[in-house]
Amino acid sequence: QVQLVESGGNLVQTGGSLRLSCVVSSSAFSWNNMNWYRQSPEKQRELVATITGGVVTKYADSVKGRFAISRGSAQNTVYLQMNSLKPEDTAVYYCNAQTVYTRAGLIPSSWGQGTQVTVSS
């Protein structure tokens, strides 16, 4: 069993910044990819950012240049720094670990419970 816990969501004004955190439980040794997704009632779930091997990053065009995904020094934490926020960034943000290696074996995918980000205009 692997648990992912997101935090950092909040209400901010347009142009503001937030940093989301995703903490992975100690049962996980490592993982191949960590993703941040977001979903709002009006849209399908969208892949926002991915970090692979703790170094290689990819972003959706809608957030490129504004968001940054990184792995913390503690190794079990992944961050999503969000700058220049817009109302259309309003959504529940989820972290997702892919190909997770644990003592019990390989887990293909694990999700957190989500954290709400609301950007007011």
Side-chain angles (χ1 to χ4, degrees), residues 13-90:
Q13 292 184 336
T14 296
S17 297
L18 284 174
R19 188 175 79 160
L20 305 184
S21 300
C22 175
V23 178
V24 184
S25 62
S26 59
S27 58
F29 292 135
S30 66
W31 52 90
N32 285 358
N33 297 327
M34 183 68 79
N35 306 305
W36 281 98
Y37 284 83
R38 65 185 180 187
Q39 186 163 24
S40 63
E42 304 82 17
K43 300 179 184 178
Q44 291 184 333
R45 185 169 290 191
E46 176 188 19
L47 177 59
V48 173
T50 298
I51 187 165
T52 300
V55 178
V56 179
T57 59
K58 292 182 181 179
Y59 300 94
D61 288 342
S62 58
V63 306
K64 205 170 289 183
R66 300 188 297 122
F67 289 12
I69 187 171
S70 62
R71 190 165 182 173
S73 58
Q75 298 296 306
N76 68 329
T77 304
V78 175
Y79 300 103
L80 184 68
Q81 178 67 43
M82 306 187 296
N83 299 325
S84 301
L85 283 163
K86 306 175 181 179
E88 51 263 43
D89 294 319
T90 295

